[in-house]
Structure formats: C-alpha cells, structure tokens
C-alpha cells in the first residue's frame, strides 16, 4: 500500500477547505470525487479507508461528506466496484458512456455525469425507470471550451438538453459537468467554469419540470480545484493529487 495516500488525501481536503474559505463558501459546499482510472483496487480501497478514518476523528459539525468515486471506463468500474461494496462508495461515471455499456454501468453507478445527448438519456431512462434504487442521478456534460477533443454538448445547446433530460422518468438531473479548457491562462479556464455556472443558473431559472435538483457543478481537477471552487464548483474531481501519477492502462481494460 502507498503510505502517502492518507497524507495526500488530507492535503486535498485542506486545499478544498481553504479554497472554500477564500471564496466565502461553506466548507461543506464542495465534495471531493476521486478519479480512479488506472488505479488498482488496493489503492482505491486504501484511500476509501483513509477517508473513513480521517472523517471519524473530525468533530461532526466539521466532518466532510465521504469522497465520491469516479470512473472513466465501464470496464474499470466493473472490475473495481465488486471489491469495494462493503465500503459503500458512490460511483460516478465520468467518461463517455457507450450504449452497449449502459447495463454494466447501471449495475454500479449512482450518477452518470457524462450525458451529452438525448439518445443516451433515453437509453439510461429506459433501464432505470423501475430499478430498485429509484431514479438514476445524471448530469449534463458541457464542452465549455469548444475544444474538439472534448466530449460534451455546447453551452448554447445545453439548457434545452438539460430540460429534456430532467423531464424523463427514471432520471434525476443533479447538475452539470465539464472538463476545463486546456490552457495555462487561468482567465480562459475560469471563463469556461463561469459558462457552466451560467448554464446551470439558466436551467434552474427555467422552472421546467425536474430541473430544481440541477444544482451541482462538477468541475476542476488536481491542478485547478481552487479556481473551480472560486467559480462555483460543488464537486471537484481529483486523480493525481491523491493517487500520484497514473499507471499505464492495461490492454484488457
Ligand atoms: C482523470 C480525470 C480527472 C482527474 O484528473 P487529475 O488531473 O488526475 O486530477 C477528472 N475528471 C476526469 C473526467 C478525468 O478523466
């Protein structure tokens, strides 16, 4: 086991706390999602256990919510999730979800953050309408930077998609997700985060059926979580800051 995992998780928790204070936001306004791609099961288990141990010694008024887990690839989700059921993590899908992987993803995912088409939303809704856990949480992924390599719907088209998704039975729209611009200029990245917040605010203001729950902004990663929190993030997705560098993906994954 990597002995530094608990310390790195604690450092991320500190960064989040400080960023919330600097932004005048409550410390519980932001949740930490751990991006587990390429990380072995043992590392993910160790970090969940470290999180539980660290939370247990916090006074209850200051205790942060448990970390969320995020997987990009359904194959990796399916490989890891069964070994962690005892720890009851909430898994989010944070990578593109192919339609032939929907069933496998739904076995484990609490939330699919990467809904960028009505077609995928329908496929999810069709399979969740009568599942025992109730509706599936979903977020609309928005490509705020317009970079061609990025997934997500355009900011202009996002509010209409979000309203349609929110109206589907079996789904609960909880918010919006983006991967920030690939730019060294913090103003460019921040403008993208403001764009995502504006989409969220427009959808909330619409008052359309099912949109009142669309409060979350999943944005910011290891390198820029402070910036994202300053611009309204409610979930920051952290990989390397906790796990260290990514391992090469195994060819079978
Ligand atoms: C890997 C990944 C992250 C975490 O990135 P780090 O820079 O390692 O913190 C966040 N979001 C998504 C969608 C990812 O794929």
């Amino acid at each position: 086991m990597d002995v530094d995992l608990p310390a790195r998780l604690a450092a991320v928790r500190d960064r989040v706390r400080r960023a919330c204070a600097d932004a005048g936001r409550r410390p519980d306004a932001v949740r930490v999602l751990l991006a587990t791609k390429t990380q072995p099961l043992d590392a993910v288990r160790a970090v969940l256990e470290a999180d539980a141990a660290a939370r247990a010694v916090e006074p209850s008024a200051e205790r942060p919510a448990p970390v969320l887990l995020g997987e990009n690839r359904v194959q990796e989700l399916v490989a890891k999730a069964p070994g962690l059921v005892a720890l009851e993590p909430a898994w989010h899908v944070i990578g593109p979800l192919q339609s032939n992987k929907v069933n496998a993803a739904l076995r484990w995912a609490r939330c699919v953050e990467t809904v960028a088409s009505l077609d995928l939303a329908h496929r999810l809704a069709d399979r969740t309408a009568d599942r025992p856990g109730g509706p599936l949480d979903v977020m609309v992924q928005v490509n705020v930077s317009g970079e061609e390599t990025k997934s997500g719907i355009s900011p202009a088209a996002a509010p209409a998609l979000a309203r349609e998704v929110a109206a589907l039975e079996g789904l609960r729209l909880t918010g919006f997700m983006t991967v920030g611009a690939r730019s060294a200029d913090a103003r460019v990245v921040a403008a993208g985060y403001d764009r995502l917040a504006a989409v969220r605010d427009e959808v909330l203001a619409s008052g359309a059926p099912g949109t009142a729950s669309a409060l979350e902004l999943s944005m910011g990663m290891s390198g820029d979580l402070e910036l994202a929190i300053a611009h309204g993030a409610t979930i920051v997705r952290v990989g390397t800051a906790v796990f260290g560098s990514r391992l090469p993906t195994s060819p079978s994954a």
Side-chain angles (χ1 to χ4, degrees), residues 20-96:
C20 286
D22 289 348
R25 302 178 60 196
R26 293 168 46 99
D28 58 2
V30 179
R31 294 194 70 168
V32 173
L33 177 149
L34 298 175
T36 60
K37 61 175 173 280
T38 78
Q39 299 301 332
L41 177 60
D42 284 349
V44 183
R45 184 185 293 119
V47 80
L48 284 175
E49 287 170 350
D51 185 47
R55 293 176 62 254
V57 299
E58 291 268 359
S60 57
E62 282 151 47
R63 194 173 296 153
V67 291
L68 307 166
L69 297 183
E71 255 305 336
N72 295 68
R73 305 175 71 132
V74 174
Q75 292 99 320
E76 284 198 59
L77 172 64
V78 167
K80 285 167 204 169
L84 299 170
V85 280
L87 297 163
E88 300 182 347
W91 284 102
H92 287 205
V93 171
I94 61 171

Side-chain angles (χ1 to χ4, degrees), residues 119-171:
D119 181 57
L120 176 59
H122 275 296
R123 281 176 203 277
L124 292 168
D126 286 349
R127 290 167 175 81
T128 51
D130 50 15
R131 73 177 199 153
L136 174 76
D137 289 353
V138 294
M139 299 188 197
V140 167
Q141 181 176 5
V142 183
N143 181 354
V144 294
S145 66
E147 290 163 30
E148 266 170 41
T149 53
K150 294 236 158 78
S151 307
I153 191 164
S154 72
L161 174 64
R163 288 192 299 271
E164 292 188 276
V165 171
L168 292 179
E169 209 174 316
L171 302 184

Side-chain angles (χ1 to χ4, degrees), residues 33 35 37 72 94-95 177 179 220-223 237-241 246:
L33 177 149
K37 61 175 173 280
N72 295 68
I94 61 171
M177 177 270 208
V179 177
M221 308 197 205
S222 293
R237 306 182 309 268
V238 177
T240 48
R246 281 192 265 289

